Amino acid sequence: MAKEKDSSLLTYETHVRLTDEMRKLLAQKAKDEGISSNAVIQKAVSLYLTKDTMDESLLIAKMTDVQRQIARLKHEIDVKQKLDLEWYQYFFLFAPPIPQEEVGLRMQKANKDVQAFLQNFKHRAASIKPLIETIFGDMLEEEAGNGK
């Protein structure tokens, strides 16, 4: 049986000059990944030539970093929620009650504030054109614009 060559396995030989520092880094990278120096160079060239396409290991590293950041944010949120809950419990347990005569005054002031808000809202709402007028006005303008 004759061996068929896979077109994806065809190789071309190219000579590259490296400094001693680059050679040491190449050897270390190959050792770290458990692959040959040639495979490291192929990956580097492939990555350089396809800059818009991320290498799988880079994508996994990015995703891992994002997951780590999300986990840290979740932890911070949990801690802040626990602190808020503790503060609320402390505040409502140990805050002195409002005197009865002051409760009435506060309720009256709150009622006045609500009435003032509603009155202001009525005046503002009266100055705004009703929605139906706005819609019909827009439709008439559109028809006039299309008729030209």
Side-chain angles (χ1 to χ4, degrees), residues 29-57:
K29 184 70 172 176
K31 182 180 175 186
D32 291 345
E33 292 193 17
I35 57 177
S36 68
S37 296
N38 188 43
V40 172
I41 293 170
Q42 285 177 343
K43 286 173 89 174
V45 170
S46 175
L47 184 62
Y48 179 78
L49 294 175
T50 58
K51 287 182 181 177
D52 56 326
T53 309
M54 280 192 152
D55 185 37
E56 183 181 339
S57 60

PDB file of all heavy atoms in Angstrom, residues 29-57:
ATOM      1  N   LYS A  29      10.063  27.685  25.561  1.00  0.00           N
ATOM      2  CA  LYS A  29       8.663  27.595  25.159  1.00  0.00           C
ATOM      3  C   LYS A  29       8.320  26.176  24.701  1.00  0.00           C
ATOM      4  O   LYS A  29       7.273  25.635  25.053  1.00  0.00           O
ATOM      5  CB  LYS A  29       8.380  28.604  24.024  1.00  0.00           C
ATOM      6  CG  LYS A  29       6.959  28.671  23.593  1.00  0.00           C
ATOM      7  CD  LYS A  29       6.095  29.302  24.657  1.00  0.00           C
ATOM      8  CE  LYS A  29       4.699  29.542  24.120  1.00  0.00           C
ATOM      9  NZ  LYS A  29       3.813  30.066  25.137  1.00  0.00           N
ATOM     10  N   ALA A  30       9.212  25.585  23.923  1.00  0.00           N
ATOM     11  CA  ALA A  30       8.997  24.213  23.448  1.00  0.00           C
ATOM     12  C   ALA A  30       8.930  23.249  24.631  1.00  0.00           C
ATOM     13  O   ALA A  30       8.078  22.354  24.679  1.00  0.00           O
ATOM     14  CB  ALA A  30      10.107  23.820  22.480  1.00  0.00           C
ATOM     15  N   LYS A  31       9.812  23.453  25.604  1.00  0.00           N
ATOM     16  CA  LYS A  31       9.831  22.589  26.788  1.00  0.00           C
ATOM     17  C   LYS A  31       8.554  22.776  27.604  1.00  0.00           C
ATOM     18  O   LYS A  31       7.958  21.799  28.059  1.00  0.00           O
ATOM     19  CB  LYS A  31      11.062  22.922  27.643  1.00  0.00           C
ATOM     20  CG  LYS A  31      11.206  22.068  28.869  1.00  0.00           C
ATOM     21  CD  LYS A  31      12.444  22.452  29.653  1.00  0.00           C
ATOM     22  CE  LYS A  31      12.524  21.670  30.938  1.00  0.00           C
ATOM     23  NZ  LYS A  31      13.632  22.106  31.781  1.00  0.00           N
ATOM     24  N   ASP A  32       8.113  24.045  27.773  1.00  0.00           N
ATOM     25  CA  ASP A  32       6.916  24.333  28.552  1.00  0.00           C
ATOM     26  C   ASP A  32       5.675  23.701  27.940  1.00  0.00           C
ATOM     27  O   ASP A  32       4.807  23.190  28.651  1.00  0.00           O
ATOM     28  CB  ASP A  32       6.683  25.848  28.671  1.00  0.00           C
ATOM     29  CG  ASP A  32       7.735  26.517  29.542  1.00  0.00           C
ATOM     30  OD1 ASP A  32       8.457  25.808  30.274  1.00  0.00           O
ATOM     31  OD2 ASP A  32       7.832  27.769  29.482  1.00  0.00           O
ATOM     32  N   GLU A  33       5.578  23.738  26.609  1.00  0.00           N
ATOM     33  CA  GLU A  33       4.395  23.202  25.931  1.00  0.00           C
ATOM     34  C   GLU A  33       4.542  21.726  25.579  1.00  0.00           C
ATOM     35  O   GLU A  33       3.588  21.106  25.123  1.00  0.00           O
ATOM     36  CB  GLU A  33       4.094  24.022  24.678  1.00  0.00           C
ATOM     37  CG  GLU A  33       3.640  25.438  24.995  1.00  0.00           C
ATOM     38  CD  GLU A  33       3.042  26.158  23.807  1.00  0.00           C
ATOM     39  OE1 GLU A  33       2.676  25.487  22.816  1.00  0.00           O
ATOM     40  OE2 GLU A  33       2.939  27.386  23.875  1.00  0.00           O
ATOM     41  N   GLY A  34       5.737  21.190  25.727  1.00  0.00           N
ATOM     42  CA  GLY A  34       5.951  19.780  25.421  1.00  0.00           C
ATOM     43  C   GLY A  34       5.896  19.482  23.938  1.00  0.00           C
ATOM     44  O   GLY A  34       5.429  18.421  23.534  1.00  0.00           O
ATOM     45  N   ILE A  35       6.344  20.424  23.131  1.00  0.00           N
ATOM     46  CA  ILE A  35       6.358  20.246  21.675  1.00  0.00           C
ATOM     47  C   ILE A  35       7.743  20.606  21.163  1.00  0.00           C
ATOM     48  O   ILE A  35       8.582  21.126  21.902  1.00  0.00           O
ATOM     49  CB  ILE A  35       5.278  21.113  20.980  1.00  0.00           C
ATOM     50  CG1 ILE A  35       5.459  22.596  21.322  1.00  0.00           C
ATOM     51  CG2 ILE A  35       3.881  20.649  21.353  1.00  0.00           C
ATOM     52  CD1 ILE A  35       4.481  23.517  20.612  1.00  0.00           C
ATOM     53  N   SER A  36       7.966  20.347  19.888  1.00  0.00           N
ATOM     54  CA  SER A  36       9.282  20.627  19.316  1.00  0.00           C
ATOM     55  C   SER A  36       9.445  22.124  19.040  1.00  0.00           C
ATOM     56  O   SER A  36       8.469  22.866  18.942  1.00  0.00           O
ATOM     57  CB  SER A  36       9.460  19.849  18.009  1.00  0.00           C
ATOM     58  OG  SER A  36       8.572  20.367  17.031  1.00  0.00           O
ATOM     59  N   SER A  37      10.677  22.544  18.886  1.00  0.00           N
ATOM     60  CA  SER A  37      10.966  23.936  18.538  1.00  0.00           C
ATOM     61  C   SER A  37      10.339  24.276  17.188  1.00  0.00           C
ATOM     62  O   SER A  37       9.841  25.392  16.979  1.00  0.00           O
ATOM     63  CB  SER A  37      12.477  24.173  18.469  1.00  0.00           C
ATOM     64  OG  SER A  37      13.052  23.978  19.736  1.00  0.00           O
ATOM     65  N   ASN A  38      10.367  23.327  16.286  1.00  0.00           N
ATOM     66  CA  ASN A  38       9.777  23.530  14.969  1.00  0.00           C
ATOM     67  C   ASN A  38       8.274  23.827  15.091  1.00  0.00           C
ATOM     68  O   ASN A  38       7.747  24.707  14.419  1.00  0.00           O
ATOM     69  CB  ASN A  38      10.016  22.282  14.103  1.00  0.00           C
ATOM     70  CG  ASN A  38       9.604  22.516  12.670  1.00  0.00           C
ATOM     71  OD1 ASN A  38       9.878  23.567  12.105  1.00  0.00           O
ATOM     72  ND2 ASN A  38       8.920  21.533  12.096  1.00  0.00           N
ATOM     73  N   ALA A  39       7.595  23.094  15.965  1.00  0.00           N
ATOM     74  CA  ALA A  39       6.157  23.314  16.164  1.00  0.00           C
ATOM     75  C   ALA A  39       5.896  24.700  16.757  1.00  0.00           C
ATOM     76  O   ALA A  39       4.924  25.363  16.390  1.00  0.00           O
ATOM     77  CB  ALA A  39       5.584  22.224  17.062  1.00  0.00           C
ATOM     78  N   VAL A  40       6.763  25.153  17.656  1.00  0.00           N
ATOM     79  CA  VAL A  40       6.621  26.488  18.242  1.00  0.00           C
ATOM     80  C   VAL A  40       6.765  27.548  17.154  1.00  0.00           C
ATOM     81  O   VAL A  40       5.979  28.499  17.076  1.00  0.00           O
ATOM     82  CB  VAL A  40       7.652  26.726  19.374  1.00  0.00           C
ATOM     83  CG1 VAL A  40       7.623  28.171  19.839  1.00  0.00           C
ATOM     84  CG2 VAL A  40       7.401  25.779  20.538  1.00  0.00           C
ATOM     85  N   ILE A  41       7.758  27.363  16.285  1.00  0.00           N
ATOM     86  CA  ILE A  41       7.980  28.325  15.204  1.00  0.00           C
ATOM     87  C   ILE A  41       6.788  28.325  14.247  1.00  0.00           C
ATOM     88  O   ILE A  41       6.325  29.380  13.815  1.00  0.00           O
ATOM     89  CB  ILE A  41       9.303  28.012  14.460  1.00  0.00           C
ATOM     90  CG1 ILE A  41      10.490  28.272  15.394  1.00  0.00           C
ATOM     91  CG2 ILE A  41       9.428  28.825  13.190  1.00  0.00           C
ATOM     92  CD1 ILE A  41      11.827  27.780  14.870  1.00  0.00           C
ATOM     93  N   GLN A  42       6.254  27.133  13.925  1.00  0.00           N
ATOM     94  CA  GLN A  42       5.088  27.060  13.040  1.00  0.00           C
ATOM     95  C   GLN A  42       3.892  27.789  13.648  1.00  0.00           C
ATOM     96  O   GLN A  42       3.194  28.538  12.961  1.00  0.00           O
ATOM     97  CB  GLN A  42       4.735  25.595  12.760  1.00  0.00           C
ATOM     98  CG  GLN A  42       5.686  24.914  11.796  1.00  0.00           C
ATOM     99  CD  GLN A  42       5.345  23.441  11.609  1.00  0.00           C
ATOM    100  OE1 GLN A  42       4.615  22.847  12.408  1.00  0.00           O
ATOM    101  NE2 GLN A  42       5.898  22.857  10.550  1.00  0.00           N
ATOM    102  N   LYS A  43       3.669  27.593  14.952  1.00  0.00           N
ATOM    103  CA  LYS A  43       2.565  28.278  15.614  1.00  0.00           C
ATOM    104  C   LYS A  43       2.773  29.789  15.599  1.00  0.00           C
ATOM    105  O   LYS A  43       1.827  30.559  15.370  1.00  0.00           O
ATOM    106  CB  LYS A  43       2.421  27.790  17.063  1.00  0.00           C
ATOM    107  CG  LYS A  43       1.827  26.401  17.180  1.00  0.00           C
ATOM    108  CD  LYS A  43       1.867  25.898  18.600  1.00  0.00           C
ATOM    109  CE  LYS A  43       0.630  26.304  19.338  1.00  0.00           C
ATOM    110  NZ  LYS A  43       0.567  25.710  20.696  1.00  0.00           N
ATOM    111  N   ALA A  44       4.011  30.222  15.844  1.00  0.00           N
ATOM    112  CA  ALA A  44       4.311  31.656  15.877  1.00  0.00           C
ATOM    113  C   ALA A  44       4.092  32.285  14.501  1.00  0.00           C
ATOM    114  O   ALA A  44       3.502  33.363  14.385  1.00  0.00           O
ATOM    115  CB  ALA A  44       5.740  31.878  16.353  1.00  0.00           C
ATOM    116  N   VAL A  45       4.553  31.622  13.460  1.00  0.00           N
ATOM    117  CA  VAL A  45       4.386  32.150  12.111  1.00  0.00           C
ATOM    118  C   VAL A  45       2.910  32.174  11.738  1.00  0.00           C
ATOM    119  O   VAL A  45       2.404  33.147  11.175  1.00  0.00           O
ATOM    120  CB  VAL A  45       5.215  31.335  11.090  1.00  0.00           C
ATOM    121  CG1 VAL A  45       4.859  31.702   9.664  1.00  0.00           C
ATOM    122  CG2 VAL A  45       6.701  31.540  11.342  1.00  0.00           C
ATOM    123  N   SER A  46       2.209  31.096  12.062  1.00  0.00           N
ATOM    124  CA  SER A  46       0.781  31.030  11.775  1.00  0.00           C
ATOM    125  C   SER A  46       0.034  32.150  12.493  1.00  0.00           C
ATOM    126  O   SER A  46      -0.826  32.815  11.915  1.00  0.00           O
ATOM    127  CB  SER A  46       0.229  29.672  12.206  1.00  0.00           C
ATOM    128  OG  SER A  46      -1.158  29.639  12.044  1.00  0.00           O
ATOM    129  N   LEU A  47       0.363  32.378  13.735  1.00  0.00           N
ATOM    130  CA  LEU A  47      -0.281  33.437  14.511  1.00  0.00           C
ATOM    131  C   LEU A  47       0.041  34.804  13.920  1.00  0.00           C
ATOM    132  O   LEU A  47      -0.832  35.658  13.807  1.00  0.00           O
ATOM    133  CB  LEU A  47       0.166  33.368  15.970  1.00  0.00           C
ATOM    134  CG  LEU A  47      -0.486  34.348  16.931  1.00  0.00           C
ATOM    135  CD1 LEU A  47      -1.986  34.099  16.996  1.00  0.00           C
ATOM    136  CD2 LEU A  47       0.113  34.207  18.311  1.00  0.00           C
ATOM    137  N   TYR A  48       1.269  35.005  13.516  1.00  0.00           N
ATOM    138  CA  TYR A  48       1.670  36.286  12.939  1.00  0.00           C
ATOM    139  C   TYR A  48       0.957  36.546  11.610  1.00  0.00           C
ATOM    140  O   TYR A  48       0.503  37.653  11.339  1.00  0.00           O
ATOM    141  CB  TYR A  48       3.189  36.317  12.724  1.00  0.00           C
ATOM    142  CG  TYR A  48       3.662  37.605  12.095  1.00  0.00           C
ATOM    143  CD1 TYR A  48       3.794  38.752  12.852  1.00  0.00           C
ATOM    144  CD2 TYR A  48       3.950  37.668  10.736  1.00  0.00           C
ATOM    145  CE1 TYR A  48       4.211  39.949  12.276  1.00  0.00           C
ATOM    146  CE2 TYR A  48       4.359  38.851  10.146  1.00  0.00           C
ATOM    147  CZ  TYR A  48       4.495  39.988  10.916  1.00  0.00           C
ATOM    148  OH  TYR A  48       4.902  41.163  10.342  1.00  0.00           O
ATOM    149  N   LEU A  49       0.824  35.512  10.796  1.00  0.00           N
ATOM    150  CA  LEU A  49       0.205  35.678   9.483  1.00  0.00           C
ATOM    151  C   LEU A  49      -1.319  35.788   9.549  1.00  0.00           C
ATOM    152  O   LEU A  49      -1.939  36.297   8.623  1.00  0.00           O
ATOM    153  CB  LEU A  49       0.603  34.520   8.562  1.00  0.00           C
ATOM    154  CG  LEU A  49       2.106  34.465   8.207  1.00  0.00           C
ATOM    155  CD1 LEU A  49       2.401  33.218   7.392  1.00  0.00           C
ATOM    156  CD2 LEU A  49       2.524  35.720   7.468  1.00  0.00           C
ATOM    157  N   THR A  50      -1.901  35.309  10.625  1.00  0.00           N
ATOM    158  CA  THR A  50      -3.357  35.400  10.794  1.00  0.00           C
ATOM    159  C   THR A  50      -3.660  36.206  12.049  1.00  0.00           C
ATOM    160  O   THR A  50      -4.288  35.710  12.978  1.00  0.00           O
ATOM    161  CB  THR A  50      -3.984  34.007  10.886  1.00  0.00           C
ATOM    162  OG1 THR A  50      -3.375  33.326  11.995  1.00  0.00           O
ATOM    163  CG2 THR A  50      -3.798  33.206   9.625  1.00  0.00           C
ATOM    164  N   LYS A  51      -3.228  37.443  12.063  1.00  0.00           N
ATOM    165  CA  LYS A  51      -3.383  38.275  13.257  1.00  0.00           C
ATOM    166  C   LYS A  51      -4.834  38.450  13.657  1.00  0.00           C
ATOM    167  O   LYS A  51      -5.152  38.576  14.825  1.00  0.00           O
ATOM    168  CB  LYS A  51      -2.756  39.651  13.031  1.00  0.00           C
ATOM    169  CG  LYS A  51      -1.257  39.636  13.038  1.00  0.00           C
ATOM    170  CD  LYS A  51      -0.715  41.022  12.867  1.00  0.00           C
ATOM    171  CE  LYS A  51       0.798  40.954  12.844  1.00  0.00           C
ATOM    172  NZ  LYS A  51       1.408  42.237  12.611  1.00  0.00           N
ATOM    173  N   ASP A  52      -5.759  38.489  12.699  1.00  0.00           N
ATOM    174  CA  ASP A  52      -7.158  38.679  13.032  1.00  0.00           C
ATOM    175  C   ASP A  52      -7.788  37.425  13.620  1.00  0.00           C
ATOM    176  O   ASP A  52      -8.832  37.483  14.236  1.00  0.00           O
ATOM    177  CB  ASP A  52      -7.952  39.128  11.803  1.00  0.00           C
ATOM    178  CG  ASP A  52      -7.809  38.158  10.644  1.00  0.00           C
ATOM    179  OD1 ASP A  52      -6.730  37.573  10.487  1.00  0.00           O
ATOM    180  OD2 ASP A  52      -8.779  37.999   9.889  1.00  0.00           O
ATOM    181  N   THR A  53      -7.156  36.269  13.453  1.00  0.00           N
ATOM    182  CA  THR A  53      -7.662  35.022  13.989  1.00  0.00           C
ATOM    183  C   THR A  53      -6.853  34.657  15.226  1.00  0.00           C
ATOM    184  O   THR A  53      -5.637  34.582  15.170  1.00  0.00           O
ATOM    185  CB  THR A  53      -7.521  33.887  12.948  1.00  0.00           C
ATOM    186  OG1 THR A  53      -8.093  34.318  11.720  1.00  0.00           O
ATOM    187  CG2 THR A  53      -8.199  32.638  13.430  1.00  0.00           C
ATOM    188  N   MET A  54      -7.536  34.456  16.338  1.00  0.00           N
ATOM    189  CA  MET A  54      -6.835  34.143  17.588  1.00  0.00           C
ATOM    190  C   MET A  54      -6.437  32.675  17.635  1.00  0.00           C
ATOM    191  O   MET A  54      -7.200  31.802  17.240  1.00  0.00           O
ATOM    192  CB  MET A  54      -7.712  34.460  18.787  1.00  0.00           C
ATOM    193  CG  MET A  54      -7.764  35.887  19.172  1.00  0.00           C
ATOM    194  SD  MET A  54      -8.550  35.964  20.780  1.00  0.00           S
ATOM    195  CE  MET A  54      -7.812  37.423  21.409  1.00  0.00           C
ATOM    196  N   ASP A  55      -5.282  32.451  18.189  1.00  0.00           N
ATOM    197  CA  ASP A  55      -4.834  31.094  18.441  1.00  0.00           C
ATOM    198  C   ASP A  55      -5.696  30.522  19.569  1.00  0.00           C
ATOM    199  O   ASP A  55      -6.117  31.244  20.467  1.00  0.00           O
ATOM    200  CB  ASP A  55      -3.363  31.118  18.829  1.00  0.00           C
ATOM    201  CG  ASP A  55      -2.779  29.745  18.993  1.00  0.00           C
ATOM    202  OD1 ASP A  55      -3.140  28.834  18.225  1.00  0.00           O
ATOM    203  OD2 ASP A  55      -1.953  29.564  19.890  1.00  0.00           O
ATOM    204  N   GLU A  56      -5.960  29.246  19.521  1.00  0.00           N
ATOM    205  CA  GLU A  56      -6.834  28.623  20.518  1.00  0.00           C
ATOM    206  C   GLU A  56      -6.321  28.824  21.937  1.00  0.00           C
ATOM    207  O   GLU A  56      -7.080  29.133  22.846  1.00  0.00           O
ATOM    208  CB  GLU A  56      -6.961  27.122  20.217  1.00  0.00           C
ATOM    209  CG  GLU A  56      -7.895  26.401  21.146  1.00  0.00           C
ATOM    210  CD  GLU A  56      -7.986  24.923  20.830  1.00  0.00           C
ATOM    211  OE1 GLU A  56      -7.657  24.521  19.706  1.00  0.00           O
ATOM    212  OE2 GLU A  56      -8.400  24.181  21.734  1.00  0.00           O
ATOM    213  N   SER A  57      -5.029  28.705  22.129  1.00  0.00           N
ATOM    214  CA  SER A  57      -4.482  28.861  23.484  1.00  0.00           C
ATOM    215  C   SER A  57      -4.630  30.298  23.970  1.00  0.00           C
ATOM    216  O   SER A  57      -4.890  30.542  25.146  1.00  0.00           O
ATOM    217  CB  SER A  57      -3.016  28.433  23.527  1.00  0.00           C
ATOM    218  OG  SER A  57      -2.248  29.224  22.648  1.00  0.00           O
TER     219      SER A  57
END
